[in-house]
Amino acid sequence: MKRYGVIMAGGNGSRFWPLGRKERPKQLLNLSGKDLMINETLKRLSFCIEKENLMIVTNVSQASLMEEETKEWVKKENILSEPAARNTAACIGYAAMEILRKHGDGIMCILPSDQFVKDEEEFVRVMEAAIVTAEETDGLVTIGICPTFPATGYGYIKSKEGSRTPIGDKNMKNYSIVEEFVEKPDKETAQIYLEKGGYLWNSGMFVWKASTILSYMERLLPDVYSCLQEIGKDMGTDREQETIERVYPAIPKISIDYGIMERADHVLVIPAEFGWNDIGSLDMLTLMKEADEKGNVSYGETVFEDCEGSILYAADKLVAAVGMKDVIVVQTKDAVLVCPKDKAQDVKKLTERLEATGKERYL
Amino acid sequence: MKRYGVIMAGGNGSRFWPLGRKERPKQLLNLSGKDLMINETLKRLSFCIEKENLMIVTNVSQASLMEEETKEWVKKENILSEPAARNTAACIGYAAMEILRKHGDGIMCILPSDQFVKDEEEFVRVMEAAIVTAEETDGLVTIGICPTFPATGYGYIKSKEGSRTPIGDKNMKNYSIVEEFVEKPDKETAQIYLEKGGYLWNSGMFVWKASTILSYMERLLPDVYSCLQEIGKDMGTDREQETIERVYPAIPKISIDYGIMERADHVLVIPAEFGWNDIGSLDMLTLMKEADEKGNVSYGETVFEDCEGSILYAADKLVAAVGMKDVIVVQTKDAVLVCPKDKAQDVKKLTERLEATGKERYL
């Protein structure tokens, strides 16, 4: 069966301000010093999926920049533009319908655009195992990350005890049946999950047939499905664009996790260990670069004087810190942000305040 | 007797980086939103000294900018340029010689260029009292600030018990005889000084006759004095500039405190309370502007999200802080500095590092 890579790249990533901006969100930033984050994701996926089957779902306002920046990896007609943000069920359903109507059925490997993966070879092995599993079981397959610390920023997947099943013939991977998805825990609960075992981080990576996810949607999210069907009917016709613009904004807003994964009866999870992190907030910049002996990470022209565990990002000025611990400093062409690492999530509040106080030009 | 105001403005103020720069040190910055610091000092002094007798001693590299920026207050020939930095004894001796040779004797009121004074009327009353005292006693008069907290950043002046003497006829001020000058104390010692009483902060403000300080120099700093005499001999002649350039760099480097004040036998101090602070480091920016209800001080376009006691200085970008406490953030045209308030002194170390690592262009 043909394989398709689907990158979900519609987010604004307001926790990444001032690096991520409305007109250039974090997935279009080069944080590793190698390539844009989305291109690194595409490259990683290209080891198991033919380049011409790589797809991106983004929003209309980002589409043309996205086309330009990813043209080495994705052909123009494979960039789907959502006329409105309708959460992940709509986004995935739209891509599934596109595959089913334009190419016949196929396996979809769905990935967020902003993830960090350390061991790319292991990533490919896990993805291959997921593809085989989705093909052989016709199930909903998700990748669960073996936790390395009691994270409170991720949801968890609990796998059913004794359900472990080897994948393929010579493949050394296993899948388990998912018992339940659990919300982001507090610190104590996260510690318990880590000690008990059998809990994995929900990575937001999914593998399944286009036909499978659509039939789940038909059953569990009939309102979403009927909109998708209306769009699907006109796909490949002159009316396609017009129908999408009309119907898409009416799709109910619901996430794939809440709408399908948590309610479907037979979800499979493949435990993975490839040095994964969600690049959700600025403190994650520490992952993208080698730190010095005091744990400081530097982008651009910076000076650390008696600092520890800090991140300095200098776009086009000198950024210097004296006596700071575990702090993030980001300088961009028009803004400077300073924030303790452990409050990186609160940058979202700041962007809300900028919006509320007439400073949208900085977003 | 004629009165002269002498502003010492030769410093680079490396603790004020990146606001203060080699080509524009802190005394040439407008931090109050009203005027340059040096012009505020000149204005303050102009209430007791005729404008045409206001003088500045600076270094050659700053002289032309100084001329330009202070022209409203100081005439060009009253700006003395030191061809080399030789500490405060040389600087004050040079000004004293200039006054003596070019104008006959006079009272010199010597002030640093970078001080904050809250109560300007009281400042004028104290200065008048100091002038009267210097004239009547022919002594070395210094202004001692009544301490308001156990400061460790200032030297202290201990006044002799029972030496308090009223000044002038109707004047309500007193002077005391100085028992000793003491070095910057540690926290505990500073606390003891505060509790014991009779200890004043050494403000670096001096009032005396030009002839008096020169005769003290002749006795206590004969090497400094002989250089000054050589310069004085050629003052007002064609050779003046050449002699200064040749002799000045050879003057022994010694401070007026160490060379004269601590060793002279009859030094007088006038206790003063006019809301004084030395603007020595960036944490002093809190004095220059009204703080918000959480003690945050803002210059330029800034946003505080859940911050306390912090200073944000934005020259031409948006400067935003999230969850920071007691921190200083300064953004200038080419640099950004982040530093905790209580480590503001260490900015000097940073500038040394910039110098040592080939980044002098930022100084």
Side-chain angles (χ1 to χ4, degrees):
Chain A
M1 194 171 243
K2 266 199 175 171
R3 301 158 168 200
Y4 296 87
V6 177
I7 311 288
M8 294 187 288
N12 280 323
S14 53
R15 279 185 199 83
F16 231 69
W17 187 88
L19 278 184
R21 305 301 275 260
K22 270 196 172 143
E23 83 272 20
R24 185 175 283 275
K26 63 180 169 181
Q27 55 269 26
L28 291 174
L29 297 176
N30 180 342
L31 298 173
S32 62
K34 291 176 225 149
D35 204 345
L36 304 185
M37 216 187 305
I38 193 162
N39 284 339
E40 296 205 311
T41 302
L42 286 160
K43 186 182 175 195
R44 199 177 295 137
L45 207 46
S46 75
F47 295 118
C48 35
I49 291 168
E50 275 180 74
K51 212 161 140 177
E52 66 158 32
N53 292 338
L54 294 176
M55 299 165 67
I56 292 171
V57 189
T58 186
N59 61 55
V60 276
S61 69
Q62 285 174 33
S64 68
L65 183 63
M66 190 69 79
E67 257 176 54
E68 180 56 32
E69 293 287 27
T70 62
K71 66 183 175 202
E72 200 195 327
W73 294 102
V74 181
K75 50 186 186 180
K76 197 177 163 186
E77 59 266 37
N78 279 3
I79 295 184
L80 311 188
S81 300
E82 297 178 288
R86 308 306 295 169
N87 213 328
T88 48
C91 165
I92 290 168
Y94 179 18
M97 194 59 82
E98 172 89 6
I99 291 166
L100 201 65
R101 293 290 159 129
K102 295 195 179 163
H103 312 281
D105 203 3
I107 301 279
M108 304 168 73
C109 298
I110 301 155
L111 265 68
S113 57
D114 52 358
Q115 298 193 326
F116 171 79
V117 168
K118 200 166 185 186
D119 184 346
E120 304 221 316
E121 288 180 21
E122 179 64 9
F123 170 85
V124 172
R125 283 190 290 270
V126 168
M127 204 50 68
E128 287 289 347
I131 291 167
V132 170
T133 307
E135 211 164 350
E136 291 186 354
T137 66
D138 207 4
L140 301 180
V141 180
T142 180
I143 312 291
I145 308 294
C146 302
T148 51
F149 66 96
T152 57
Y154 302 134
Y156 284 70
I157 300 170
K158 184 170 192 279
S159 54
K160 195 176 250 164
E161 227 173 298
S163 71
R164 190 190 282 189
T165 310
I167 302 166
D169 291 339
K170 339 161 259 221
N171 203 309
M172 305 299 290
K173 303 287 165 204
N174 300 282
Y175 69 77
S176 292
I177 295 170
V178 171
E179 189 171 305
E180 60 168 337
F181 285 81
V182 288
E183 296 286 307
K184 293 176 186 176
D186 59 24
K187 199 87 192 172
E188 281 166 31
T189 314
Q191 189 61 49
I192 293 168
Y193 291 168
L194 202 65
E195 282 160 16
K196 270 171 107 174
Y199 284 84
L200 302 158
W201 288 339
N202 183 357
S203 70
M205 292 189 263
F206 310 107
V207 181
W208 46 54
K209 289 182 199 158
S211 57
T212 304
I213 189 67
L214 285 171
S215 77
Y216 270 96
M217 286 189 181
E218 185 172 9
R219 198 143 40 88
L220 300 175
L221 299 172
D223 292 346
V224 172
Y225 183 74
S226 71
C227 291
L228 291 172
Q229 227 189 0
E230 202 176 339
I231 290 168
K233 231 173 33 206
D234 286 346
M235 273 178 173
T237 74
D238 293 350
R239 294 181 309 278
E240 174 170 353
Q241 197 50 34
E242 187 226 313
T243 306
I244 288 171
E245 279 167 27
R246 182 173 45 81
V247 177
Y248 206 92
I251 303 180
K253 270 187 172 178
I254 191 163
S255 73
I256 194 83
D257 297 82
Y258 187 70
I260 303 285
M261 306 309 284
E262 295 177 16
R263 297 159 66 202
D265 41 17
H266 199 67
V267 180
L268 309 175
V269 62
I270 300 180
E273 288 177 275
F274 42 65
W276 174 91
N277 272 92
D278 177 36
I279 306 301
S281 48
L282 289 166
D283 51 327
M284 289 298 163
L285 285 175
T286 40
L287 295 172
M288 315 294 279
K289 280 248 186 145
E290 196 89 14
D292 71 11
E293 70 280 4
K294 287 182 171 173
N296 298 310
V297 171
S298 160
Y299 286 83
E301 190 164 18
T302 64
V303 186
F304 294 91
E305 175 69 32
D306 186 28
C307 291
E308 238 176 86
S310 293
I311 303 167
L312 299 190
Y313 186 105
D316 56 8
K317 310 226 171 290
L318 175 71
V319 175
V322 176
M324 298 301 301
K325 212 182 152 204
D326 297 328
V327 80
I328 307 164
V329 183
V330 175
Q331 178 264 318
T332 67
K333 67 180 194 307
D334 60 352
V336 173
L337 171 77
V338 182
C339 175
K341 264 171 157 180
D342 63 5
K343 293 194 178 163
Q345 298 297 327
D346 293 349
V347 171
K348 192 183 167 68
K349 285 192 219 163
L350 180 78
T351 60
E352 286 161 4
R353 173 181 297 232
L354 290 175
E355 186 128 34
T357 54
K359 296 190 201 288
E360 305 90 342
R361 65 190 177 283
Y362 291 108
L363 294 177
Chain B
M1 192 170 243
K2 267 200 174 170
R3 302 158 168 200
Y4 296 87
V6 177
I7 311 289
M8 294 187 290
N12 280 322
S14 53
R15 279 184 197 85
F16 232 70
W17 187 90
L19 277 184
R21 306 301 275 259
K22 270 197 173 143
E23 83 273 17
R24 186 175 282 276
K26 62 179 169 179
Q27 56 268 27
L28 292 174
L29 298 176
N30 180 341
L31 298 173
S32 62
K34 290 176 226 149
D35 204 344
L36 305 185
M37 216 187 304
I38 193 163
N39 285 339
E40 297 205 310
T41 303
L42 287 160
K43 185 182 174 195
R44 200 177 295 138
L45 208 45
S46 74
F47 295 117
C48 34
I49 291 168
E50 275 180 73
K51 214 161 139 177
E52 66 158 30
N53 292 338
L54 294 177
M55 300 166 67
I56 292 171
V57 190
T58 186
N59 60 57
V60 277
S61 69
Q62 286 173 33
S64 67
L65 183 62
M66 191 68 80
E67 257 173 56
E68 179 57 30
E69 294 286 28
T70 63
K71 66 184 173 201
E72 200 195 326
W73 294 101
V74 181
K75 49 188 186 180
K76 195 176 165 190
E77 58 266 38
N78 279 2
I79 295 184
L80 311 187
S81 301
E82 298 178 287
R86 308 307 293 169
N87 214 327
T88 47
C91 165
I92 289 168
Y94 179 17
M97 194 58 85
E98 173 88 6
I99 291 167
L100 202 64
R101 294 291 158 128
K102 296 195 178 162
H103 313 281
D105 202 4
I107 301 280
M108 306 169 72
C109 298
I110 302 157
L111 266 68
S113 57
D114 52 358
Q115 298 193 326
F116 172 78
V117 168
K118 202 167 183 184
D119 184 345
E120 304 221 316
E121 288 180 21
E122 179 63 11
F123 170 85
V124 172
R125 283 191 289 270
V126 169
M127 203 50 70
E128 288 288 347
I131 290 167
V132 170
T133 307
E135 211 164 352
E136 292 186 353
T137 66
D138 207 5
L140 301 180
V141 180
T142 179
I143 313 292
I145 308 294
C146 302
T148 50
F149 66 97
T152 57
Y154 302 134
Y156 283 71
I157 300 170
K158 184 170 190 281
S159 54
K160 196 176 248 161
E161 227 171 296
S163 71
R164 190 190 283 191
T165 309
I167 302 167
D169 291 336
K170 338 159 261 218
N171 204 308
M172 305 299 290
K173 302 288 166 203
N174 301 282
Y175 69 76
S176 292
I177 295 171
V178 171
E179 189 171 304
E180 61 169 336
F181 284 82
V182 290
E183 296 286 306
K184 292 176 187 175
D186 59 24
K187 199 87 191 172
E188 281 165 30
T189 313
Q191 189 61 50
I192 293 168
Y193 291 169
L194 202 63
E195 283 160 16
K196 270 173 106 173
Y199 284 85
L200 302 158
W201 289 339
N202 184 356
S203 69
M205 292 188 261
F206 309 109
V207 180
W208 46 53
K209 289 181 198 160
S211 57
T212 304
I213 190 67
L214 286 170
S215 79
Y216 270 96
M217 285 189 181
E218 185 173 10
R219 198 146 37 90
L220 300 175
L221 298 172
D223 293 348
V224 172
Y225 183 73
S226 70
C227 292
L228 292 172
Q229 230 189 357
E230 201 175 339
I231 290 168
K233 232 173 31 206
D234 286 347
M235 272 178 174
T237 74
D238 293 352
R239 293 182 308 279
E240 174 171 352
Q241 196 51 36
E242 187 226 312
T243 306
I244 288 170
E245 277 167 28
R246 180 172 46 81
V247 178
Y248 206 92
I251 303 180
K253 271 187 171 178
I254 189 163
S255 73
I256 194 80
D257 297 83
Y258 188 69
I260 303 286
M261 305 309 283
E262 295 178 16
R263 297 160 64 202
D265 39 19
H266 199 69
V267 179
L268 308 176
V269 62
I270 299 179
E273 289 178 273
F274 43 65
W276 174 91
N277 272 93
D278 176 36
I279 306 300
S281 48
L282 290 167
D283 50 327
M284 289 297 161
L285 285 176
T286 38
L287 295 174
M288 316 294 279
K289 279 247 187 146
E290 197 89 14
D292 70 11
E293 70 281 3
K294 287 182 170 172
N296 299 309
V297 171
S298 159
Y299 285 83
E301 190 164 17
T302 64
V303 187
F304 294 91
E305 175 70 32
D306 187 27
C307 291
E308 238 175 86
S310 293
I311 302 166
L312 300 190
Y313 186 106
D316 56 9
K317 309 223 172 293
L318 175 71
V319 174
V322 177
M324 298 301 301
K325 214 185 149 201
D326 296 328
V327 80
I328 306 163
V329 183
V330 175
Q331 177 264 319
T332 67
K333 65 182 197 305
D334 59 352
V336 174
L337 170 76
V338 182
C339 176
K341 265 171 157 179
D342 63 4
K343 293 194 178 161
Q345 298 296 328
D346 293 350
V347 171
K348 193 182 165 67
K349 285 192 217 161
L350 180 79
T351 61
E352 286 161 5
R353 174 181 295 229
L354 290 174
E355 185 128 35
T357 54
K359 296 190 201 289
E360 304 91 342
R361 67 189 177 283
Y362 291 108
L363 294 177

